[in-house]
Amino acid sequence: MFSLQREPLEPMTMARPDAGGYVSFVGRVRNHHVGKAVDGLDYEAFDAMALAEGDKVVREAIERFGVLEARCIHRIGSLNVGDVAIAIEVAAGHRREAFRACEFIIDEVKRRVPIWKRERYADGVEEWVHAWSAAPEALTEEAYYQAQTRLPEVGLEGQDRLRRARVLVIGAGGLGCPAITYLASCGVGTILVADHDVLEGDNLHRQPLFRVADIGRMKADLAAEAVAALNPYVRAESHTVRFDASNAERLIAGCDLVLDCSDNLATKDAANAACVALGVPLVVAGIHRMEGWVLSVDPKSEGGCLRCLWPTASQETRSCAEVGVLGFVPGVLGVFMATEAIKRLTGWGDTLGDRLWLVDLLRMEAQSVQRAKEPGCPVCSSPASLAASEPIALKWGDPALAVGDWALLDLRNDAQFEFPLDWPRLSENELSQGGSGRRVLVLCDRGISSVDVVLKARRRGIHAWSLEHGDIGLRRALGR
Amino acid sequence: MANTVHLQYFAILREQRGADRETLTTQAATLRDLYETLAREHGFTLTTAQVRPAVNETVADWDRAIADGDRIVFLPPVAGG
Ligand SMILES: [Zn+2]
């Protein structure tokens, strides 16, 4: 549905008996850019990701606008002024959907598909241009964040840490809307939004990320669109699913942090269990009328998890709509969640740590309570306690990796590149026979199956660690 | 032995108690005894399995002995969002 092509592009011509409306769009290389004369340009794509993301855009267009067929081809390589850079064609029952789908495809491809262009200016200078940014030309990424990067504790380095972060937000409701807004505006690079509900009219008073005209649409889609409109330098993914144990791993894998902004304890329990199992920190909050609480579950700390605090889910899980809530209450808590998340991602100042933070907006009072791990907690006491206090996973770049003799167990299914160090390689068989007396780093695709391997190995006394987020984490750390 | 303690209620417990805080003198030996007495008196619907106590700004067990001057908070789980 989406393809890349090195050869010159010809406009396409679809024809099918069931389609009455066809819209095609052709983008050609123009002879100027920001007032400078352009001779031509080169397009370069991050192929695998471009094809996957491009395909997703076309599929979304077909689904969202109910068109019959859509195709998009993007040129790569060297182009001259006047050459076709992109061609889109949509076939639909009627013209209106065809126009909308076509416009959606060109906008989303420019925004989301990783294709860079290098412009060759008439004066001989060449310059790479961020081709998929929808920002006005004057609003560069530097300009967008300048009031924030001016702070010495943030700087360009802190901003870069945020850009590289990947965060899952569960629930795009009263807590999710403000949390998503500030994660996006402050520059968290990739934001996944999981929500299975459509927007209803009585949501708007506490979910001001949305508009009256949005009623009836999926909130995850709306949130992703709102993020795109707010900050062209971050990316939001819409996942229109109810978060539960069946999709937890898929959604959390590769994330640096999860925010649970759901409105029910069952989802919070599922998020808690999955985050503890995968070793990903979780920020979670709840509200009741004019009160609220926030806490962070850090699998590496001694503060325990949500289940340590509340061992049995309460029957008292009526939603905000039933109990009644003032719009700004989840707003305050959601912004607080974003604050905690951003500070955890960047290391600025102090976080909540292992405290439970309680706020009463009726009396304008806040207090915090120190939490601790419950020895018998079914979620966080085992199997992690089998490995004593030693972390299961290490991040790429952890100083521990530079100490002692290491061997690598590579479990990746489709490794795109060689592991960058010349450590001896172990097979799974060699590991089960006790390894080689070396420390063992287990590398898998996402850092999930490696955890099981590490836990099993440690039970046999082998000193093994998982590489956090596996191949995804490694590629990200190495900038590939 | 009677101890004077300072109590604070959150969310549904505040509503069922009809107050957000109170100071009282109690014969209860543990947090569990105290909560169960209060639950009978005020008709709390949540059990000790559902509520978490905290004493002097630290999460505590229900079997913790009560000491004079304790600042006790009862925390029901609250999900809305
Ligand atoms: Zn726990």
PDB file of all heavy atoms in Angstrom, chain A residues 260-290:
ATOM      1  N   ASP A 260      -0.345   5.312  34.279  1.00  0.00           N
ATOM      2  CA  ASP A 260      -1.687   4.757  34.311  1.00  0.00           C
ATOM      3  C   ASP A 260      -2.653   5.884  34.636  1.00  0.00           C
ATOM      4  O   ASP A 260      -2.708   6.367  35.763  1.00  0.00           O
ATOM      5  CB  ASP A 260      -1.819   3.635  35.335  1.00  0.00           C
ATOM      6  CG  ASP A 260      -3.251   3.124  35.351  1.00  0.00           C
ATOM      7  OD1 ASP A 260      -4.165   3.868  35.760  1.00  0.00           O
ATOM      8  OD2 ASP A 260      -3.465   1.997  34.908  1.00  0.00           O
ATOM      9  N   CYS A 261      -3.418   6.277  33.623  1.00  0.00           N
ATOM     10  CA  CYS A 261      -4.411   7.338  33.789  1.00  0.00           C
ATOM     11  C   CYS A 261      -5.808   6.755  33.653  1.00  0.00           C
ATOM     12  O   CYS A 261      -6.755   7.455  33.303  1.00  0.00           O
ATOM     13  CB  CYS A 261      -4.188   8.418  32.738  1.00  0.00           C
ATOM     14  SG  CYS A 261      -2.571   9.214  32.858  1.00  0.00           S
ATOM     15  N   SER A 262      -5.934   5.449  33.904  1.00  0.00           N
ATOM     16  CA  SER A 262      -7.232   4.800  33.767  1.00  0.00           C
ATOM     17  C   SER A 262      -8.127   5.187  34.937  1.00  0.00           C
ATOM     18  O   SER A 262      -7.679   5.787  35.911  1.00  0.00           O
ATOM     19  CB  SER A 262      -7.051   3.280  33.744  1.00  0.00           C
ATOM     20  OG  SER A 262      -6.680   2.815  35.029  1.00  0.00           O
ATOM     21  N   ASP A 263      -9.409   4.814  34.839  1.00  0.00           N
ATOM     22  CA  ASP A 263     -10.348   5.211  35.886  1.00  0.00           C
ATOM     23  C   ASP A 263     -10.826   4.015  36.706  1.00  0.00           C
ATOM     24  O   ASP A 263     -11.845   4.098  37.371  1.00  0.00           O
ATOM     25  CB  ASP A 263     -11.546   5.945  35.264  1.00  0.00           C
ATOM     26  CG  ASP A 263     -12.326   5.053  34.318  1.00  0.00           C
ATOM     27  OD1 ASP A 263     -11.905   3.899  34.096  1.00  0.00           O
ATOM     28  OD2 ASP A 263     -13.356   5.518  33.800  1.00  0.00           O
ATOM     29  N   ASN A 264     -10.096   2.886  36.642  1.00  0.00           N
ATOM     30  CA  ASN A 264     -10.575   1.729  37.403  1.00  0.00           C
ATOM     31  C   ASN A 264      -9.403   0.921  37.940  1.00  0.00           C
ATOM     32  O   ASN A 264      -8.319   0.902  37.365  1.00  0.00           O
ATOM     33  CB  ASN A 264     -11.478   0.860  36.527  1.00  0.00           C
ATOM     34  CG  ASN A 264     -10.721   0.248  35.385  1.00  0.00           C
ATOM     35  OD1 ASN A 264     -10.168  -0.828  35.514  1.00  0.00           O
ATOM     36  ND2 ASN A 264     -10.652   0.960  34.258  1.00  0.00           N
ATOM     37  N   LEU A 265      -9.657   0.251  39.082  1.00  0.00           N
ATOM     38  CA  LEU A 265      -8.578  -0.465  39.766  1.00  0.00           C
ATOM     39  C   LEU A 265      -8.139  -1.714  39.022  1.00  0.00           C
ATOM     40  O   LEU A 265      -6.992  -2.126  39.134  1.00  0.00           O
ATOM     41  CB  LEU A 265      -9.005  -0.816  41.191  1.00  0.00           C
ATOM     42  CG  LEU A 265      -9.024   0.378  42.153  1.00  0.00           C
ATOM     43  CD1 LEU A 265      -9.692  -0.009  43.461  1.00  0.00           C
ATOM     44  CD2 LEU A 265      -7.619   0.892  42.423  1.00  0.00           C
ATOM     45  N   ALA A 266      -9.036  -2.325  38.243  1.00  0.00           N
ATOM     46  CA  ALA A 266      -8.646  -3.523  37.501  1.00  0.00           C
ATOM     47  C   ALA A 266      -7.531  -3.181  36.517  1.00  0.00           C
ATOM     48  O   ALA A 266      -6.527  -3.898  36.407  1.00  0.00           O
ATOM     49  CB  ALA A 266      -9.852  -4.104  36.769  1.00  0.00           C
ATOM     50  N   THR A 267      -7.686  -2.064  35.811  1.00  0.00           N
ATOM     51  CA  THR A 267      -6.650  -1.651  34.859  1.00  0.00           C
ATOM     52  C   THR A 267      -5.382  -1.248  35.595  1.00  0.00           C
ATOM     53  O   THR A 267      -4.273  -1.591  35.180  1.00  0.00           O
ATOM     54  CB  THR A 267      -7.159  -0.479  33.996  1.00  0.00           C
ATOM     55  OG1 THR A 267      -8.346  -0.897  33.326  1.00  0.00           O
ATOM     56  CG2 THR A 267      -6.123  -0.067  32.966  1.00  0.00           C
ATOM     57  N   LYS A 268      -5.533  -0.552  36.719  1.00  0.00           N
ATOM     58  CA  LYS A 268      -4.354  -0.141  37.477  1.00  0.00           C
ATOM     59  C   LYS A 268      -3.590  -1.367  37.979  1.00  0.00           C
ATOM     60  O   LYS A 268      -2.367  -1.406  37.960  1.00  0.00           O
ATOM     61  CB  LYS A 268      -4.746   0.771  38.641  1.00  0.00           C
ATOM     62  CG  LYS A 268      -5.245   2.141  38.157  1.00  0.00           C
ATOM     63  CD  LYS A 268      -5.563   3.067  39.304  1.00  0.00           C
ATOM     64  CE  LYS A 268      -6.456   4.223  38.869  1.00  0.00           C
ATOM     65  NZ  LYS A 268      -5.876   5.087  37.845  1.00  0.00           N
ATOM     66  N   ASP A 269      -4.325  -2.398  38.429  1.00  0.00           N
ATOM     67  CA  ASP A 269      -3.676  -3.633  38.875  1.00  0.00           C
ATOM     68  C   ASP A 269      -2.925  -4.296  37.722  1.00  0.00           C
ATOM     69  O   ASP A 269      -1.806  -4.785  37.900  1.00  0.00           O
ATOM     70  CB  ASP A 269      -4.721  -4.615  39.431  1.00  0.00           C
ATOM     71  CG  ASP A 269      -5.015  -4.345  40.907  1.00  0.00           C
ATOM     72  OD1 ASP A 269      -4.191  -3.668  41.554  1.00  0.00           O
ATOM     73  OD2 ASP A 269      -6.056  -4.805  41.400  1.00  0.00           O
ATOM     74  N   ALA A 270      -3.544  -4.311  36.535  1.00  0.00           N
ATOM     75  CA  ALA A 270      -2.897  -4.936  35.376  1.00  0.00           C
ATOM     76  C   ALA A 270      -1.636  -4.163  34.992  1.00  0.00           C
ATOM     77  O   ALA A 270      -0.594  -4.751  34.692  1.00  0.00           O
ATOM     78  CB  ALA A 270      -3.867  -4.994  34.194  1.00  0.00           C
ATOM     79  N   ALA A 271      -1.721  -2.835  35.015  1.00  0.00           N
ATOM     80  CA  ALA A 271      -0.556  -2.009  34.673  1.00  0.00           C
ATOM     81  C   ALA A 271       0.557  -2.226  35.692  1.00  0.00           C
ATOM     82  O   ALA A 271       1.731  -2.350  35.345  1.00  0.00           O
ATOM     83  CB  ALA A 271      -0.954  -0.538  34.626  1.00  0.00           C
ATOM     84  N   ASN A 272       0.170  -2.300  36.973  1.00  0.00           N
ATOM     85  CA  ASN A 272       1.135  -2.515  38.051  1.00  0.00           C
ATOM     86  C   ASN A 272       1.873  -3.835  37.859  1.00  0.00           C
ATOM     87  O   ASN A 272       3.101  -3.890  37.885  1.00  0.00           O
ATOM     88  CB  ASN A 272       0.383  -2.491  39.381  1.00  0.00           C
ATOM     89  CG  ASN A 272       1.276  -2.765  40.572  1.00  0.00           C
ATOM     90  OD1 ASN A 272       2.206  -2.026  40.836  1.00  0.00           O
ATOM     91  ND2 ASN A 272       1.002  -3.851  41.285  1.00  0.00           N
ATOM     92  N   ALA A 273       1.103  -4.909  37.627  1.00  0.00           N
ATOM     93  CA  ALA A 273       1.716  -6.234  37.488  1.00  0.00           C
ATOM     94  C   ALA A 273       2.643  -6.270  36.280  1.00  0.00           C
ATOM     95  O   ALA A 273       3.765  -6.793  36.351  1.00  0.00           O
ATOM     96  CB  ALA A 273       0.634  -7.301  37.375  1.00  0.00           C
ATOM     97  N   ALA A 274       2.181  -5.712  35.158  1.00  0.00           N
ATOM     98  CA  ALA A 274       2.995  -5.771  33.937  1.00  0.00           C
ATOM     99  C   ALA A 274       4.265  -4.943  34.088  1.00  0.00           C
ATOM    100  O   ALA A 274       5.344  -5.368  33.673  1.00  0.00           O
ATOM    101  CB  ALA A 274       2.176  -5.265  32.746  1.00  0.00           C
ATOM    102  N   CYS A 275       4.155  -3.774  34.704  1.00  0.00           N
ATOM    103  CA  CYS A 275       5.334  -2.923  34.854  1.00  0.00           C
ATOM    104  C   CYS A 275       6.364  -3.561  35.788  1.00  0.00           C
ATOM    105  O   CYS A 275       7.562  -3.507  35.528  1.00  0.00           O
ATOM    106  CB  CYS A 275       4.937  -1.536  35.352  1.00  0.00           C
ATOM    107  SG  CYS A 275       4.220  -0.518  34.053  1.00  0.00           S
ATOM    108  N   VAL A 276       5.882  -4.181  36.862  1.00  0.00           N
ATOM    109  CA  VAL A 276       6.815  -4.853  37.774  1.00  0.00           C
ATOM    110  C   VAL A 276       7.508  -5.998  37.037  1.00  0.00           C
ATOM    111  O   VAL A 276       8.728  -6.149  37.093  1.00  0.00           O
ATOM    112  CB  VAL A 276       6.085  -5.362  39.034  1.00  0.00           C
ATOM    113  CG1 VAL A 276       6.992  -6.276  39.850  1.00  0.00           C
ATOM    114  CG2 VAL A 276       5.618  -4.177  39.887  1.00  0.00           C
ATOM    115  N   ALA A 277       6.722  -6.790  36.285  1.00  0.00           N
ATOM    116  CA  ALA A 277       7.301  -7.944  35.582  1.00  0.00           C
ATOM    117  C   ALA A 277       8.321  -7.506  34.539  1.00  0.00           C
ATOM    118  O   ALA A 277       9.328  -8.183  34.339  1.00  0.00           O
ATOM    119  CB  ALA A 277       6.194  -8.760  34.929  1.00  0.00           C
ATOM    120  N   LEU A 278       8.050  -6.395  33.877  1.00  0.00           N
ATOM    121  CA  LEU A 278       8.928  -5.963  32.790  1.00  0.00           C
ATOM    122  C   LEU A 278       9.997  -4.983  33.258  1.00  0.00           C
ATOM    123  O   LEU A 278      10.836  -4.545  32.485  1.00  0.00           O
ATOM    124  CB  LEU A 278       8.093  -5.322  31.668  1.00  0.00           C
ATOM    125  CG  LEU A 278       7.083  -6.261  31.004  1.00  0.00           C
ATOM    126  CD1 LEU A 278       6.127  -5.487  30.122  1.00  0.00           C
ATOM    127  CD2 LEU A 278       7.802  -7.331  30.206  1.00  0.00           C
ATOM    128  N   GLY A 279       9.944  -4.613  34.550  1.00  0.00           N
ATOM    129  CA  GLY A 279      10.960  -3.713  35.086  1.00  0.00           C
ATOM    130  C   GLY A 279      10.844  -2.282  34.590  1.00  0.00           C
ATOM    131  O   GLY A 279      11.829  -1.561  34.516  1.00  0.00           O
ATOM    132  N   VAL A 280       9.631  -1.860  34.240  1.00  0.00           N
ATOM    133  CA  VAL A 280       9.428  -0.494  33.731  1.00  0.00           C
ATOM    134  C   VAL A 280       8.721   0.328  34.812  1.00  0.00           C
ATOM    135  O   VAL A 280       7.707  -0.104  35.349  1.00  0.00           O
ATOM    136  CB  VAL A 280       8.572  -0.521  32.442  1.00  0.00           C
ATOM    137  CG1 VAL A 280       8.293   0.887  31.940  1.00  0.00           C
ATOM    138  CG2 VAL A 280       9.281  -1.341  31.367  1.00  0.00           C
ATOM    139  N   PRO A 281       9.232   1.518  35.150  1.00  0.00           N
ATOM    140  CA  PRO A 281       8.573   2.328  36.178  1.00  0.00           C
ATOM    141  C   PRO A 281       7.163   2.759  35.758  1.00  0.00           C
ATOM    142  O   PRO A 281       6.899   2.965  34.571  1.00  0.00           O
ATOM    143  CB  PRO A 281       9.472   3.565  36.307  1.00  0.00           C
ATOM    144  CG  PRO A 281      10.752   3.195  35.659  1.00  0.00           C
ATOM    145  CD  PRO A 281      10.448   2.149  34.639  1.00  0.00           C
ATOM    146  N   LEU A 282       6.294   2.862  36.760  1.00  0.00           N
ATOM    147  CA  LEU A 282       4.890   3.221  36.525  1.00  0.00           C
ATOM    148  C   LEU A 282       4.529   4.409  37.404  1.00  0.00           C
ATOM    149  O   LEU A 282       4.829   4.419  38.595  1.00  0.00           O
ATOM    150  CB  LEU A 282       4.008   2.018  36.903  1.00  0.00           C
ATOM    151  CG  LEU A 282       2.499   2.249  36.998  1.00  0.00           C
ATOM    152  CD1 LEU A 282       1.894   2.422  35.614  1.00  0.00           C
ATOM    153  CD2 LEU A 282       1.824   1.080  37.714  1.00  0.00           C
ATOM    154  N   VAL A 283       3.880   5.401  36.811  1.00  0.00           N
ATOM    155  CA  VAL A 283       3.302   6.503  37.591  1.00  0.00           C
ATOM    156  C   VAL A 283       1.800   6.312  37.528  1.00  0.00           C
ATOM    157  O   VAL A 283       1.240   6.146  36.441  1.00  0.00           O
ATOM    158  CB  VAL A 283       3.706   7.879  37.016  1.00  0.00           C
ATOM    159  CG1 VAL A 283       3.067   9.004  37.824  1.00  0.00           C
ATOM    160  CG2 VAL A 283       5.224   8.025  37.001  1.00  0.00           C
ATOM    161  N   VAL A 284       1.154   6.307  38.693  1.00  0.00           N
ATOM    162  CA  VAL A 284      -0.271   5.986  38.714  1.00  0.00           C
ATOM    163  C   VAL A 284      -0.980   6.930  39.678  1.00  0.00           C
ATOM    164  O   VAL A 284      -0.392   7.371  40.669  1.00  0.00           O
ATOM    165  CB  VAL A 284      -0.467   4.476  39.064  1.00  0.00           C
ATOM    166  CG1 VAL A 284       0.278   4.088  40.307  1.00  0.00           C
ATOM    167  CG2 VAL A 284      -1.929   4.106  39.187  1.00  0.00           C
ATOM    168  N   ALA A 285      -2.220   7.258  39.358  1.00  0.00           N
ATOM    169  CA  ALA A 285      -2.971   8.196  40.202  1.00  0.00           C
ATOM    170  C   ALA A 285      -4.436   7.821  40.216  1.00  0.00           C
ATOM    171  O   ALA A 285      -4.909   7.062  39.373  1.00  0.00           O
ATOM    172  CB  ALA A 285      -2.807   9.629  39.686  1.00  0.00           C
ATOM    173  N   GLY A 286      -5.150   8.348  41.209  1.00  0.00           N
ATOM    174  CA  GLY A 286      -6.592   8.162  41.271  1.00  0.00           C
ATOM    175  C   GLY A 286      -7.221   9.397  41.891  1.00  0.00           C
ATOM    176  O   GLY A 286      -6.545  10.158  42.603  1.00  0.00           O
ATOM    177  N   ILE A 287      -8.496   9.609  41.600  1.00  0.00           N
ATOM    178  CA  ILE A 287      -9.166  10.767  42.199  1.00  0.00           C
ATOM    179  C   ILE A 287     -10.532  10.364  42.739  1.00  0.00           C
ATOM    180  O   ILE A 287     -11.112   9.352  42.331  1.00  0.00           O
ATOM    181  CB  ILE A 287      -9.362  11.923  41.194  1.00  0.00           C
ATOM    182  CG1 ILE A 287     -10.109  11.418  39.954  1.00  0.00           C
ATOM    183  CG2 ILE A 287      -8.056  12.547  40.814  1.00  0.00           C
ATOM    184  CD1 ILE A 287     -10.588  12.529  39.079  1.00  0.00           C
ATOM    185  N   HIS A 288     -11.016  11.144  43.672  1.00  0.00           N
ATOM    186  CA  HIS A 288     -12.352  10.948  44.222  1.00  0.00           C
ATOM    187  C   HIS A 288     -12.886  12.323  44.571  1.00  0.00           C
ATOM    188  O   HIS A 288     -12.376  12.964  45.476  1.00  0.00           O
ATOM    189  CB  HIS A 288     -12.284  10.051  45.463  1.00  0.00           C
ATOM    190  CG  HIS A 288     -13.613   9.795  46.089  1.00  0.00           C
ATOM    191  ND1 HIS A 288     -14.448   8.788  45.644  1.00  0.00           N
ATOM    192  CD2 HIS A 288     -14.252  10.414  47.103  1.00  0.00           C
ATOM    193  CE1 HIS A 288     -15.557   8.809  46.380  1.00  0.00           C
ATOM    194  NE2 HIS A 288     -15.467   9.779  47.264  1.00  0.00           N
ATOM    195  N   ARG A 289     -13.879  12.773  43.813  1.00  0.00           N
ATOM    196  CA  ARG A 289     -14.437  14.111  44.029  1.00  0.00           C
ATOM    197  C   ARG A 289     -13.351  15.179  44.057  1.00  0.00           C
ATOM    198  O   ARG A 289     -12.786  15.507  43.045  1.00  0.00           O
ATOM    199  CB  ARG A 289     -15.302  14.131  45.288  1.00  0.00           C
ATOM    200  CG  ARG A 289     -16.485  13.191  45.061  1.00  0.00           C
ATOM    201  CD  ARG A 289     -17.586  13.377  46.045  1.00  0.00           C
ATOM    202  NE  ARG A 289     -18.683  12.504  45.633  1.00  0.00           N
ATOM    203  CZ  ARG A 289     -19.637  12.071  46.424  1.00  0.00           C
ATOM    204  NH1 ARG A 289     -19.664  12.437  47.688  1.00  0.00           N
ATOM    205  NH2 ARG A 289     -20.581  11.290  45.966  1.00  0.00           N
ATOM    206  N   MET A 290     -13.022  15.700  45.243  1.00  0.00           N
ATOM    207  CA  MET A 290     -12.029  16.784  45.316  1.00  0.00           C
ATOM    208  C   MET A 290     -10.675  16.298  45.828  1.00  0.00           C
ATOM    209  O   MET A 290      -9.818  17.102  46.173  1.00  0.00           O
ATOM    210  CB  MET A 290     -12.554  17.897  46.232  1.00  0.00           C
ATOM    211  CG  MET A 290     -13.738  18.633  45.671  1.00  0.00           C
ATOM    212  SD  MET A 290     -13.266  19.798  44.365  1.00  0.00           S
ATOM    213  CE  MET A 290     -12.776  21.206  45.381  1.00  0.00           C
TER     214      MET A 290
END
